[in-house]
Amino acid sequence: MPTTPATATHSSSNGTAEAIMLELVDENGTTIGTAEKLAAHQAPGQLHRAFSVFLFDEQGRLLLQRRALGKYHSPGVWSNTCCGHPYPGEAPFAAAARRTHEELRLSPSLLAEAGTVRYNHPDPVSGLVEQEFNHLFVGMAQTAPEPDPEEVGETAFVTAAELAERHARAPFSAWFMTVLDAARPAIRELTGPSAGW
């Protein structure tokens, strides 16, 4: 498996390597412990906290990203603007803003909570499982993204109609439609009825 920022260990203040840890939760989203990131995604998966961000431009187009080919999970597929996992004890809102900036060099404006969704999506290619309690966020992208190539292969702004066409012919992440459908009420509130979401 290639080493990426998602699977690499990182150095602590004393120079020793630390595994990336995720927050395990129960069905109500209450924290019950932690697990190492890759271990939490091994079948059958451990339920953990995650977030998904949907950013739009002023025309109501959604910013998609195609995940970098070096990603350990779902490489090379299209997905929502940004998704990931808070560190244990980190607020999902803070994690969403942090990762959006790290991956895309964007600081979202009007970023707002859009509910939560719980799902279980196995990835047939890798065999990994997304057992997630996902916090959803919607907002605006008011500057052009500058993707980190370690994380993002490419980006595209799409209308609702263009997304439907793209989704029919290109591979998307297993969780994409679940999180999009769960976020639609907040997306419609942000973009207005004319955007077609």
Side-chain angles (χ1 to χ4, degrees):
M1 175 188 322
T3 299
T4 72
T7 57
T9 56
H10 61 276
S11 295
S12 67
S13 58
N14 66 8
T16 60
E18 289 180 18
I20 294 175
M21 302 300 287
L22 304 186
E23 201 168 80
L24 300 180
V25 299
D26 65 16
E27 294 292 337
N28 298 312
T30 303
T31 303
I32 58 171
T34 60
E36 189 276 323
K37 184 174 185 176
L38 189 57
H41 290 87
Q42 302 281 348
Q46 295 174 277
L47 184 60
H48 58 275
R49 195 177 308 284
F51 64 83
S52 290
V53 177
F54 297 86
L55 297 185
F56 296 82
D57 66 9
E58 302 217 352
Q59 290 76 48
R61 298 180 303 166
L62 171 61
L63 175 58
L64 297 176
Q65 69 155 274
R66 187 173 62 80
R67 294 165 62 84
L69 292 174
K71 300 280 277 185
Y72 80 105
H73 191 334
S74 301
V77 302
W78 288 92
S79 199
N80 49 294
T81 308
C82 180
C83 55
H85 309 91
Y87 294 126
E90 182 182 27
F93 184 94
R98 172 180 58 79
R99 283 303 291 165
T100 300
H101 188 266
E102 289 171 356
E103 291 188 7
L104 297 162
R105 300 299 180 260
L106 283 176
S107 295
S109 61
L110 303 175
L111 191 65
E113 294 183 15
T116 60
V117 63
R118 190 259 194 258
Y119 52 78
N120 175 3
H121 286 303
D123 176 24
V125 176
S126 68
L128 300 175
V129 178
E130 289 290 6
Q131 283 265 22
E132 293 189 330
F133 189 94
N134 197 307
H135 297 256
L136 308 171
F137 299 92
V138 300
M140 301 294 291
Q142 296 187 306
T143 58
E146 299 176 26
D148 175 354
E150 295 274 327
E151 299 287 342
V152 180
E154 63 182 299
T155 61
F157 280 98
V158 298
T159 65
E162 289 166 344
L163 174 62
E165 292 172 12
R166 187 182 289 256
H167 191 260
R169 59 182 164 76
F172 272 70
S173 64
W175 62 88
F176 175 75
M177 287 308 297
T178 300
V179 293
L180 175 63
D181 287 344
R184 278 187 200 275
I187 290 170
R188 291 183 187 119
E189 187 174 332
L190 177 72
T191 61
S194 62
W197 294 101

